Amino acid sequence: RAAATSATMPREIITVQVGQCGNQIGCRFWELALKEHAAYNTKARYDEALSSFFQNVDSRGDAPVSLPVGDGRGAIRALKARAVVVDMEEGVTNELLSGHMRDVFDTKQFITGQSGSGNNWACGSHHYGPMYRDTLLEAVRKQAEDADSLQGFMLLHSLGGGTGSGLGSYMLGALADEFPDVYRFSVSVFPSEDDDVVTSPYNAMLSCAALAEHADCVMPVENQALMDIVTSIYEKSDVNTRRGSALTGVDGGVEVSGHGGRPWDAMNGIAANLLLNLTAGARFDGALNVDINEVTTNLVPFPKMHFLLSSMSPATVSADKGKAAPAPRTMDQIFTEVFGRDRQLASVDPRRSTYLACALMMRGAVTVSDASRNVDRLRKGLRMAHWVSDGFKVGLCDRAPTGTPYSALCLANNCAMRKPLDAMTSRFQKLRRRNLYVHHYGEFMEIDDMDAAASTIAELAEEYARVDAAPPPETVPSIRPIGVL
């Protein structure tokens, strides 16, 4: 789309946040999204931008009423997130219900247990999944019925624990069964090698196999990469952290290099910024907007190879937080940084592997000519698959993140994804060879299914390796039109 576009009707995305990590990232996303919309929607009108993730609810009568967008000039009554909040222990959900974001959530959309999943994928998937299936799907169905043009589901979860991994996997499969025509996206936090959950190698492997099977698009986010980015931000800045920042949130801080607060707060802020940039095209107008569904259409050439490496510049926004690495000085530097290793949300260097497809999603004062010039400049240093040598999907959203004139998000379907998959397989095999902790999983599932999941991921890694090593054909056959000799 070369001309400025505006949505003709609302395009809603339902967020399903599962487990402790998924709910913490989700809460940070809602906080930052409201700040971003408040900066641009100064008249407090319920417009199409807000409707993509929020309902406008009038609670003055006996029963709450969801108000339509109409002409986009209606007053905001009470914004409610289009979210389903799931956890099998009540600690994080109770924090949400008592915290500063409590009014954004509809308590009827909370599905909680009390005893947790015991860091066991099988417990979350095979025990709690069937137990809560009807309740989970009814909560999703309620949100879907309130949507005018449902664009997709966004699953937020981690792969290391029990609920986010197991129940998240089950939820993804249930969505595929009940809503087969609606795209399913996942922002999935991969555990680090020194994860403190001893069973995380099993949980991650089983979850990753479910993502390969049931998701349309997965954005892996590695804990170690997030920590490296946050550490870099603190080392490069000498400005004191402010309360209410993108790194600290309203209630916390970060515990990096002597700073107080919860250590995962800053990491959640980075992941939430990924969501903000990914969904900007659905929330705001743009000269060349990209809906998230177009990401799947353009970046997934083979069905199971739908794991997209993501990188951002700036990683955080200086005006929205008190402590950040200095923003890049020029627009060209922003383009360059998203292809560098230091900005990757997974611990890989995509420049050393083959790009199967690539998307650049720009926000702010970026023109088509700016994008074309930088794509032409950068493409020379990238190893592109022969069928996409000239192919970059470029999105231009008019609204920049608050506090910066422009930003970039790069989504790359790159063969470097083999590295985290191989690392996941290696950690899995270290436990599986000695049958450690296997009996806990045998209470809920067939142990052979664990080996089947490992085979699925090993085959996927091999496929990335095969494509990475494949030489381009000497000639590309062309299709002769019918009737032409």
Side-chain angles (χ1 to χ4, degrees), residues 19 28 34 41 58 110 180 185 196 209 252 254 308 321 323 327 349 357 366-367 380 407 432 441 472 477:
R28 182 62 55 81
L34 285 174
N41 188 351
D58 188 346
F110 278 60
F185 298 85
D196 57 1
V254 277
L308 305 183
K321 56 171 190 9
K323 191 174 186 66
D349 187 354
V366 184
T367 65
K380 301 171 185 176
S407 70
R432 185 70 181 96
Y441 292 77

Side-chain angles (χ1 to χ4, degrees), residues 14 36 69 73 89 157 174 196 209 216 226 241 251 260 289 296-297 323 346 356-357 391 447:
I14 296 173
E36 195 167 86
V69 174
R73 297 186 221 173
E89 55 185 357
H157 68 142
D196 57 1
D216 291 298
L226 291 178
T241 306
D251 296 324
N289 248 343
T296 296
T297 304
K323 191 174 186 66
L356 308 184
I447 299 304

Side-chain angles (χ1 to χ4, degrees), residues 353-376:
S353 299
T354 302
Y355 284 82
L356 308 184
C358 188
L360 284 168
M361 304 173 75
M362 314 301 300
R363 301 183 62 186
V366 184
T367 65
V368 173
S369 61
D370 291 328
S372 298
R373 174 173 52 82
N374 278 282
V375 167
D376 289 341

Side-chain angles (χ1 to χ4, degrees), residues 8-163:
T8 57
M9 64 188 305
R11 300 166 294 174
E12 300 90 355
I13 299 170
I14 296 173
T15 300
V16 182
Q17 44 195 70
V18 185
Q20 176 179 323
C21 179
N23 280 301
Q24 288 169 340
I25 291 174
C27 187
R28 182 62 55 81
F29 166 71
W30 299 115
E31 175 189 342
L32 295 178
L34 285 174
K35 286 183 179 180
E36 195 167 86
H37 284 285
Y40 291 114
N41 188 351
T42 56
K43 294 183 179 180
R45 302 299 186 188
Y46 184 61
D47 56 13
E48 290 173 351
L50 271 173
S51 72
S52 58
F53 279 91
F54 297 93
Q55 294 184 64
N56 189 22
V57 178
D58 188 346
S59 304
R60 293 176 296 178
D62 294 335
V65 177
S66 182
L67 303 176
V69 174
D71 61 4
R73 297 186 221 173
I76 293 175
R77 295 297 181 186
L79 292 179
K80 296 294 182 181
R82 299 185 188 274
V84 177
V85 180
V86 184
D87 204 352
M88 290 299 102
E89 55 185 357
E90 297 179 327
V92 173
T93 55
N94 285 341
E95 287 182 15
L96 296 182
L97 291 172
S98 61
H100 65 284
M101 298 293 291
R102 59 186 176 275
D103 293 334
V104 174
F105 298 102
D106 183 349
T107 56
K108 295 179 181 178
Q109 298 303 106
F110 278 60
I111 296 97
T112 59
Q114 294 183 338
S115 57
S117 299
N119 292 324
N120 186 331
W121 182 94
C123 180
S125 175
H126 289 51
H127 176 63
Y128 286 123
M131 179 186 298
Y132 284 92
R133 180 184 176 92
D134 292 343
T135 305
L136 290 166
L137 289 176
E138 182 58 31
V140 173
R141 198 172 290 116
K142 173 64 169 61
Q143 290 290 325
E145 289 172 352
D146 289 337
D148 290 320
S149 179
L150 180 58
Q151 191 175 30
F153 295 108
M154 184 70 70
L155 173 67
L156 309 180
H157 68 142
S158 74
L159 272 57
T163 299

Side-chain angles (χ1 to χ4, degrees), residues 1 4 63 71 76 179 182 190 233 255-256 280 305 317 330 367 369 371 376 388 441 443 455:
R1 283 174 282 181
D71 61 4
I76 293 175
F179 302 90
V182 182
F190 282 39
I233 288 173
E255 191 177 52
V256 180
M305 299 173 74
V317 181
T330 67
T367 65
S369 61
D376 289 341
V388 290
Y441 292 77
E443 295 178 26
S455 296

Side-chain angles (χ1 to χ4, degrees), residues 306-386:
H306 53 239
F307 291 77
L308 305 183
L309 302 174
S310 54
S311 55
M312 296 181 295
S313 180
T316 49
V317 181
S318 56
D320 188 46
K321 56 171 190 9
K323 191 174 186 66
R329 294 184 298 276
T330 67
M331 184 183 301
D332 287 8
Q333 188 174 355
I334 277 187
F335 276 91
T336 300
E337 284 192 345
V338 293
F339 288 96
R341 182 171 184 170
D342 293 343
R343 286 290 188 263
Q344 301 297 321
L345 301 192
S347 300
V348 299
D349 187 354
R351 294 169 300 183
R352 296 180 179 273
S353 299
T354 302
Y355 284 82
L356 308 184
C358 188
L360 284 168
M361 304 173 75
M362 314 301 300
R363 301 183 62 186
V366 184
T367 65
V368 173
S369 61
D370 291 328
S372 298
R373 174 173 52 82
N374 278 282
V375 167
D376 289 341
R377 174 177 64 87
L378 292 164
R379 182 168 45 209
K380 301 171 185 176
L382 305 177
R383 191 199 309 171
M384 305 293 294
H386 66 87

Side-chain angles (χ1 to χ4, degrees), residues 270-292:
I270 302 292
N273 275 325
L274 165 62
L275 286 168
L276 287 178
N277 290 322
L278 176 66
T279 60
R283 297 184 293 117
F284 299 112
D285 289 341
L288 203 67
N289 248 343
V290 174
D291 289 338
I292 61 171

